[in-house]
Structure formats: structure tokens, C-alpha cells
Amino acid sequence: MSLSGETAELAAPLRAHSYAEPSMAGVGDYLALMKPRVMSLVVFTALVGLLVAPGHVHPVIGFTALLCIAIGAGASGALNMWYDADIDAVMTRTSRRPVPMGRVKPGEALAFGLTLSGFSVVTLGLLVNWAAAALLAFTIFFYAVVYTMWLKRSTPQNIVIGGAAGAIPPVIGWAAVTGSVSLESLVLFLIIFLWTPPHFWALALFKSDDYAKAGIPMMPNVAGQASTRRQIFAYALVLAPVGVAPWLLGYTTPFYGVAAMLLGLGFVWYAWKVLGMADDDRAMKPAKALFAYSLLYLFAIFAAYLADSVVERALAMGGA
Amino acid sequence: MIMVEEKLETVTLTERQRKAQRSRSIAIGVALAVLVVIFYIATIIKFGHNLGTM
């Protein structure tokens, strides 16, 4: 496979095997395989889990944990792009990814994903702890096998169940410090888990043609736009109070509680706008607005949690 | 002694493939160097206290 009709001159025995053709992939293509935007969200939520966890971890060990989580997330992305190359090629949003574009061969993407998976899990286990490593291994398996290979093409609940993979990173960050999982870390998991369906269904509403073309059973294509809008609103109603739960459970100060409440109300308001969208609305501005706001919501609520924890610890140290 | 002249069969890369290969080699080299440093420091931090008791 080559770009622009450019091929290397191969010796006769090598010409007989197309797999021997030299790779055209650059460093940027391999970085793209790791889905850097998804990775940044994973790293940020894992960082919050790591910093708010009780106990102390050496900064270098903490950095190593984050690096392993980032590489593990990148490995999941590479395995996803390897398996989904056929449907990525027909969707406008994903058609320019390295594998469907032919810049990275499927085998290269698979090898890259498997190597990074093994490396990130073993390194996390050896240098941080095996509880965090086990959680990372489970996350990679859940995203690459359970979500990508099974759920994504078979059920409209794909991103509901598959969302668990994206929700685990703060729990891994927490486990990197404590060596265990607690209710507080599971609340962080729950916030991302409940955030995922309205986030992706908002995207699926204005990209439904794309998903239909690829044959992916996203909620708007299976249950219809009206049902999806209702489900988005229902999830927003559940997410808003769960976002406040860390304060109600006594893990944070009222500062976080007020911030989470305002952010949750914003989420419900944007979801309400989506609920009121007309069936023949082609511009779908409310769905696009909710998609953009949902990204802001997740970043802001985790940033508020982190700020609350840091300030509380600083005050506690000052008072001690 | 009979000398047989054999032409070595090799792959001749295009300029673009050579550039891509070079950038990959540099990236792998940098990544390995960074990993060596991280592993060294992390090992000292993680297991260094055991050395003092030996």
C-alpha cells in the first residue's frame, strides 16, 4: 500500500510479498493512532484521581503512573483503529485516520497497540503497584474487546456499557496511590459513566447519517431521534445530582458542591434544549451545543474536585 | 578458490520513505532514552531504600 503512487524499488524476492513494502508511516501517524484528544481527557481524570486520593506518592512514581495510563489509553486507541478500519473508512469523521488512509498498515497498528498494552501494564505493575496495573489491563481489554469488537456493532447500548472503559482512569489514578479502590473513587467513575451516553448521543444526533452509512447501531439510528433526545434528558437528570454526590457524601467542601450544582444545572438546561428540538431540525444547534458543553462540564467538574481537594489539604496543613 | 560475484538484494527506499523511516528511528531513540531515565530514577525511588539495608 502506498501514497501518491510512490513505491520503493524492491528486490525481486521481496516484490513477491506485498507485506515487505516499506512503511510510509511517520511519527505523527503513530501519535494519531493513540487518539491524543481522548488520551488528554483520560490523563486529566486519572491525574485528579491520583491527586485527591488519600496518602502520598513520590512525584516521579506519580508521573510514571500517569505515563503508563496515557500509553495504555493510546494502546486502546490503536487497537480500536486497527479493528474499526473498515467502518472508519466510510465515516467522514474518521475517514482520514492513518489506517483507512493507508499510511499505517493494519498489522502495524495491531502490533503497536499490543506492544504498548503489554508495556504500559507491566511497567505500571513493576514501578507503581499491581492493583493499578490490573485495572489498566481490564480497561484496555474492555475498550478493545468488549466495546470495539463486540458492543459497538451489535447494540445501541454500546456506548452506555462501553463507557465504563472511559470512566475507569480516575479509579486507576486512585489505586496508584492507595493500592485499592474505594467508594470515593467509584463516585468519580460514576460521574464519567453517566456523562458518556448524553455526550455521545448528542454527537450521534448530528452525525446519525455517518453512523448509518457505517452500519453502527447508535441510538438515533435504532430508537429514533425523539427517543434519543428523551434518553439524553433522562441521563442529564441523573448525572446532575450524581455530580454533587461527592459533597453530599462528605468528600468535598461546599465549594465543590456549589460548582457541581451549577455545572449540573447547565447540563440539564442544554439537555432540555435538545429535548425541545424539532424532528425536522437539520442544523441541530442544541445537540452541538450540548456536545461542546459536555466536554466543558467534565473538565470543569474534575477541575473543581481537584481544586477543592488541594485547598482543603493546604488549609489542613496550615492549621496543623 | 573460486570467487563468485553476488549482487546483494536490498530494498531501495524512495525519498519520502527514507524520511518517514528516519523520523521513526529518531522517535524510537528518544523514547528509549526517556524510558531509560524514567526506569533508572523510578527504580532508585522505589527500591533504593533496600540498598541501604544490604
Side-chain angles (χ1 to χ4, degrees):
Chain A
M1 206 180 285
S2 64
L3 294 174
S4 315
E6 189 178 14
T7 53
E9 287 176 33
L10 299 181
L14 296 177
R15 262 200 302 273
H17 305 285
S18 60
Y19 58 79
E21 192 173 314
S23 175
M24 293 288 287
V27 177
D29 294 319
Y30 280 96
L31 289 177
L33 276 183
M34 298 174 80
K35 297 191 176 180
R37 275 184 296 184
V38 175
M39 194 199 279
S40 63
L41 211 55
V42 166
V43 169
F44 178 64
T45 55
L47 173 71
V48 174
L50 192 137
L51 291 178
V52 303
H56 173 74
V57 67
H58 192 285
V60 174
I61 299 297
F63 172 78
T64 306
L66 283 180
L67 186 68
C68 290
I69 294 168
I71 293 173
S76 307
L79 293 172
N80 171 273
M81 286 200 203
W82 160 70
Y83 192 81
D84 276 351
D86 57 338
I87 52 179
D88 282 351
V90 292
M91 291 176 64
T92 53
R93 191 172 68 87
T94 54
S95 62
R96 298 195 64 77
R97 285 178 173 175
V99 181
M101 284 293 284
R103 291 193 303 269
V104 174
K105 293 169 193 166
E108 290 173 331
L110 175 63
F112 187 62
L114 289 176
T115 305
L116 292 189
S117 299
F119 171 81
S120 58
V121 170
V122 171
T123 305
L124 190 62
L126 289 173
L127 294 181
V128 183
N129 65 58
W130 288 102
L135 284 167
L136 181 63
F138 175 76
T139 306
I140 296 170
F141 171 80
F142 200 85
Y143 186 74
V145 178
V146 178
Y147 169 69
T148 302
M149 296 182 189
W150 175 32
L151 297 172
K152 186 172 178 178
R153 299 174 192 233
S154 60
T155 168
Q157 296 295 328
N158 47 16
I159 50 98
V160 176
I161 308 164
I168 297 178
V171 185
I172 305 175
W174 183 284
V177 178
T178 64
S180 63
V181 174
S182 71
L183 180 63
E184 188 174 350
S185 63
L186 291 178
V187 174
L188 295 176
F189 167 91
L190 200 57
I191 291 172
I192 306 177
F193 185 72
L194 292 170
W195 165 89
T196 306
H199 169 75
F200 275 105
W201 285 339
L203 173 74
L205 278 174
F206 59 85
K207 289 283 182 187
S208 61
D209 292 346
D210 230 12
Y211 282 114
K213 206 163 59 177
I216 303 173
M218 290 301 280
M219 194 58 81
N221 305 98
V222 177
Q225 302 243 345
S227 170
T228 306
R229 294 198 299 265
R230 283 195 298 274
Q231 292 190 63
I232 285 175
F233 187 65
Y235 267 94
L237 288 178
V238 179
L239 173 64
V242 169
V244 185
W247 172 51
L248 299 175
L249 292 169
Y251 300 139
T252 68
T253 69
F255 162 75
Y256 169 83
V258 172
M261 209 178 292
L262 293 173
L263 286 165
L265 285 173
F267 205 107
V268 171
W269 188 79
Y270 277 101
W272 172 256
K273 290 290 206 185
V274 170
L275 185 66
M277 258 168 44
D279 286 338
D280 59 351
D281 186 343
R282 300 303 297 166
M284 296 205 183
K285 280 185 181 167
K288 289 172 183 169
L290 174 64
F291 180 74
Y293 180 79
S294 65
L295 286 168
L296 174 73
Y297 172 88
L298 194 68
F299 174 79
I301 205 163
F302 271 77
Y305 205 117
L306 180 60
D308 187 280
S309 172
V310 169
V311 171
E312 200 178 6
R313 280 189 200 193
L315 292 174
M317 283 173 73
Chain B
M1 201 162 114
I2 302 165
M3 295 287 287
V4 179
E5 196 178 314
E6 276 187 26
K7 195 181 173 191
L8 198 63
E9 289 185 327
T10 57
V11 175
T12 308
L13 299 179
T14 64
E15 190 54 34
R16 214 169 148 187
Q17 285 167 331
R18 204 186 311 276
K19 267 185 161 177
Q21 188 186 49
R22 186 174 158 75
S23 72
R24 289 198 304 270
S25 301
I26 291 171
I28 291 169
V30 170
L32 286 175
V34 169
L35 284 175
V36 167
V37 173
I38 291 173
F39 268 78
Y40 180 76
I41 298 172
T43 305
I44 296 294
I45 292 165
K46 186 92 177 163
F47 306 108
H49 61 278
N50 291 336
L51 297 174
T53 58
M54 283 176 76

